[in-house]
Amino acid sequence: MFTRKIAALISAALMLTVVGCDKNEPPPPPPSESVGTAAPPAEVTGLEVTFFDVGKADAMVLLSENSTVIIDCGEKGDAKQIVKFLEERGRDTVDYLILTHYDKDHVGGAGKVIRSLDVKNVLGPDHEQQSDEVDKYIAALNEKELTPQLLTEDISFTLDGMDFTVDAPDKTNYGVNDDNDFSLVTKVVHGENTLIFAGDAMEQRLNEVMGIGDCDLLKVPYHGRKLANFGDFLDAVTPEYAVVCTSKEEFAGTIQKQMIKRDITYFSTCFNGRITAVSDGKSLTVTPEKGV
């Protein structure tokens, strides 16, 4: 579902807008500590998800034996970690790049990722924002002659035994400073395991996806910042595990308490560094780089 809007956007190289936010970015882990850097791609027989330690930003890579999916690319300097990680895994092709929305801490590294790798498909919300980071993303699309698919309706696809459903926002306007509520929410089913990646969905958007179904692992929305209906969302999706991509300053105590109350085992990049989740289709294991 290609839209005329993005074609005009790319051809005219129009500027899109971002409402971003600062972060205190911890240094990337040294290569010797990087998750899976010594393993060849053939050893990925199930689903492996890597949550990169990039401060208050989202950057995730999903690997199976024969496919590669990226969800968000962090800020502009964070793409180096993603590209290096994939190069070390012997991957130069990305089947899908999913940008949940266009804030700089999600789209910032997209330009470099697109320039450095062979990206086959790009998905994003049908929403316009403006920033230098988005300009670089648009320029990279132009250079690679890629047209992103801007979602106004949900889509589903299957890769290597994984069923993806990408939930598009229901509205075209969520009010002032509404960028986060345009977040795409991605559900991945691998055998008996389900993972949900909630972008920066805030209250209105969470209400839209309350019926998305149960999951085994949740990528917590909005970097673990306070959301009035987060408890209701946890009750709706009932995760066993949760991962928060955040900084210590942004990780709200109320969010932590709500997960503890529900006996959810949670990890955060600010305390646990790079986090790896592995599904064999039946069991799911989550391994932090540091801490417990």
Side-chain angles (χ1 to χ4, degrees):
M1 175 188 61
F2 295 93
T3 67
R4 289 178 293 175
K5 181 184 294 184
I6 194 66
L9 221 107
I10 295 172
S11 62
L14 293 178
M15 300 173 74
L16 305 175
T17 320
V18 161
V19 178
C21 47
D22 293 333
K23 66 172 185 175
N24 294 319
E25 180 179 345
S32 61
E33 297 179 2
S34 297
V35 175
T37 54
E43 293 187 11
V44 182
T45 56
L47 166 62
E48 177 188 294
V49 184
T50 300
F51 301 84
F52 288 88
D53 180 10
V54 289
K56 193 210 71 62
D58 278 7
M60 292 153 282
V61 170
L62 288 69
L63 296 181
S64 64
E65 184 174 4
N66 301 302
S67 67
T68 302
V69 174
I70 298 174
I71 301 178
D72 288 332
C73 298
E75 294 201 15
K76 60 184 179 181
D78 299 331
K80 295 177 182 178
Q81 283 197 54
I82 300 172
V83 173
K84 184 174 186 291
F85 173 81
L86 289 174
E87 287 176 346
E88 290 174 338
R89 301 304 293 268
R91 306 289 177 109
D92 58 8
T93 298
V94 177
D95 298 279
Y96 280 86
L97 167 59
I98 302 172
L99 295 173
T100 60
H101 62 301
Y102 305 116
D103 280 358
K104 68 178 185 179
D105 52 343
H106 295 255
V107 75
K112 180 175 177 60
V113 165
I114 290 169
R115 288 188 176 96
S116 303
L117 301 166
D118 181 14
V119 178
K120 300 297 185 183
N121 300 281
V122 181
L123 305 179
D126 191 9
H127 175 63
E128 296 183 14
Q129 294 177 237
Q130 183 178 10
S131 75
D132 290 342
E133 289 83 358
V134 175
D135 287 345
K136 291 176 181 177
Y137 161 61
I138 294 297
L141 291 173
N142 286 329
E143 290 175 20
K144 289 295 190 80
E145 298 183 346
L146 274 171
T147 302
Q149 190 172 357
L150 301 185
L151 302 187
T152 57
E153 297 178 351
D154 303 349
I155 68 164
S156 297
F157 56 90
T158 299
L159 283 175
D160 208 16
M162 300 177 290
D163 295 322
F164 287 76
T165 300
V166 184
D167 189 294
D170 293 346
K171 299 179 182 179
T172 58
N173 189 339
Y174 289 91
V176 178
N177 298 325
D178 59 358
D179 303 315
N180 287 331
D181 275 326
F182 281 95
S183 289
L184 301 180
V185 175
T186 301
K187 179 178 181 178
V188 183
V189 178
H190 179 247
E192 298 175 9
N193 293 322
T194 299
L195 299 84
I196 293 175
F197 302 84
D200 271 3
M202 296 180 68
E203 284 89 353
Q204 293 184 78
R205 186 75 178 103
L206 287 183
N207 283 334
E208 293 178 356
V209 295
M210 284 289 177
I212 198 169
D214 294 340
C215 68
D216 299 280
L217 184 149
L218 170 69
K219 200 294 293 184
V220 171
Y222 197 36
H223 308 292
R225 298 173 74 178
K226 185 177 179 179
L227 295 168
N229 57 352
F230 181 66
D232 294 335
F233 185 63
L234 288 179
D235 292 338
V237 299
T238 65
E240 179 180 359
Y241 299 101
V243 174
V244 190
C245 300
T246 191
S247 64
K248 294 178 182 178
E249 293 77 14
E250 299 289 338
F251 196 4
T254 56
I255 297 298
Q256 299 178 52
K257 290 176 182 178
Q258 289 184 37
M259 292 189 288
I260 292 170
K261 177 182 176 181
R262 293 165 175 81
D263 294 322
I264 297 167
T265 301
Y266 69 90
F267 302 89
S268 61
T269 54
C270 62
F271 293 112
N272 302 118
R274 189 179 292 187
I275 297 161
T276 305
V278 176
S279 165
D280 63 5
K282 292 186 178 181
S283 62
L284 181 70
T285 60
V286 182
T287 305
E289 179 184 39
K290 57 188 179 182
V292 292

